[in-house]
Amino acid sequence: MDKFNFVKDGAIKLPPGFRFQPTDEEIVFQYLIRKTFSCPLPTSIIPEINICKHDPWDLLGDIEQDRYFFSNKEAKYRNGNRANRATIGGYWKPTGLDKQITCSKRKPILGMKKTLVFYKGKNTTHACRTDWIMHEYRLVLPKNSPSNFHGHINKSSQSCLVQVGNWVLCHIFLKKRNGKLCDEEIMHKDCEHVQIAKPTLYYDFMTEDLAASSCSSSLSNDDPSEVSSSPSSLVDQPT
């Protein structure tokens, strides 16, 4: 089935008009499960990359489009099961509960979808939350009966799940606000061509008119000969 390869120079290049928008079930049971068990993929459209070695804006592909990557899950500690979430300039922080993805034809294998948010900075107390979102998909097998698992999985239930293989599939994108991408990384691309507008100055013309009439009245009272209809008469003439 690997007849079409749309990955060029490590980035996805689809023909005009085509969009890669798989569902959660397709991601898990058409791509991730085939990758895990070394089966032919529907198409070679998802590149392999180590997510932890790149910040999200430095990853391959169009920064304004949804991007998908196969990545090997990297342990944070040598003798631990905790995944490494740190990158060059920040870290991915899990948020919310993991979502279970099932397929009646693939029992007892389950898919788990974890949502993560990217934070800039290494210090967790001063890190800045960004609009970068990652959905991480992994394959798991329940130690107990699969009928015990449905809907969202809480932390206590996750201890009864065993990951299958070491591959994960990562869907990375920028969160939209009011229908527009608002992350500063996109704005940075065109910042050199943007001219910063000067602050608008507001003048109180009524005050200036009153001051001018007051000044004119004062001059006429002192010496009427000094009042002239021409503004140039108020400028000192060279001697």
Side-chain angles (χ1 to χ4, degrees):
M1 295 295 293
D2 255 336
K3 296 181 179 180
F4 303 100
N5 191 334
F6 295 106
V7 178
K8 297 180 180 180
D9 299 326
I12 298 175
K13 299 292 184 181
L14 289 176
F18 285 83
R19 299 292 182 271
F20 186 64
Q21 297 176 332
T23 63
D24 288 346
E25 186 173 331
E26 290 171 340
I27 286 175
V28 173
F29 298 107
Q30 293 296 327
Y31 288 92
L32 182 56
I33 196 171
R34 291 171 181 263
K35 185 69 172 178
T36 301
F37 292 99
S38 301
C39 297
L41 296 171
T43 183
S44 298
I45 200 172
I46 305 177
E48 299 177 9
I49 196 170
N50 189 334
I51 294 295
C52 295
K53 294 188 180 300
H54 305 272
D55 291 323
W57 50 86
D58 290 331
L59 291 169
L60 299 171
D62 189 347
I63 193 174
E64 300 186 28
Q65 300 294 328
D66 291 16
R67 291 173 289 176
Y68 298 82
F69 303 97
F70 284 119
S71 182
N72 272 301
K73 201 170 183 180
E74 185 177 300
K76 186 173 183 178
Y77 304 106
R78 181 177 300 179
N79 297 325
N81 295 324
R82 189 174 179 181
N84 179 29
R85 305 291 187 192
T87 66
I88 298 174
Y91 61 92
W92 291 99
K93 182 179 180 180
T95 179
L97 299 175
D98 290 4
K99 178 184 176 182
Q100 176 184 329
I101 304 167
T102 60
C103 179
S104 58
K105 299 180 180 180
R106 298 291 185 177
K107 289 184 178 180
I109 294 180
L110 306 173
M112 295 299 296
K113 176 182 177 181
K114 183 186 293 293
T115 301
L116 305 99
V117 179
F118 188 77
Y119 283 75
K120 281 185 179 180
K122 294 293 187 178
N123 190 336
T124 56
T125 58
H126 297 93
C128 177
R129 179 178 178 138
T130 71
D131 291 316
W132 286 101
I133 306 295
M134 177 167 69
H135 292 157
E136 182 189 85
Y137 299 84
R138 68 185 189 277
L139 291 177
V140 296
L141 275 173
K143 293 181 181 179
N144 301 325
S145 172
S147 60
N148 295 336
F149 301 92
H150 56 276
H152 288 287
I153 304 296
N154 55 35
K155 291 185 178 180
S156 60
S157 300
Q158 289 189 37
S159 60
C160 300
L161 300 175
V162 179
Q163 180 167 339
V164 180
N166 200 42
W167 285 107
V168 294
L169 200 157
C170 301
H171 172 205
I172 298 177
F173 59 96
L174 269 173
K175 180 180 177 182
K176 292 184 179 181
R177 295 182 183 177
N178 299 326
K180 296 181 180 180
L181 297 175
C182 56
D183 193 86
E184 62 180 5
E185 306 307 329
I186 290 182
M187 298 173 62
H188 178 71
K189 296 171 63 177
D190 300 323
C191 66
E192 295 181 356
H193 305 285
V194 177
Q195 294 182 353
I196 301 176
K198 296 182 179 180
T200 305
L201 300 179
Y202 296 93
Y203 297 94
D204 191 342
F205 295 100
M206 294 298 295
T207 303
E208 291 187 355
D209 291 342
L210 290 174
S213 60
S214 175
C215 178
S216 176
S217 175
S218 176
L219 288 173
S220 61
N221 292 335
D222 294 341
D223 187 358
S225 62
E226 295 183 7
V227 179
S228 172
S229 60
S230 174
S232 61
S233 63
L234 300 178
V235 181
D236 293 337
Q237 298 297 327
T239 57

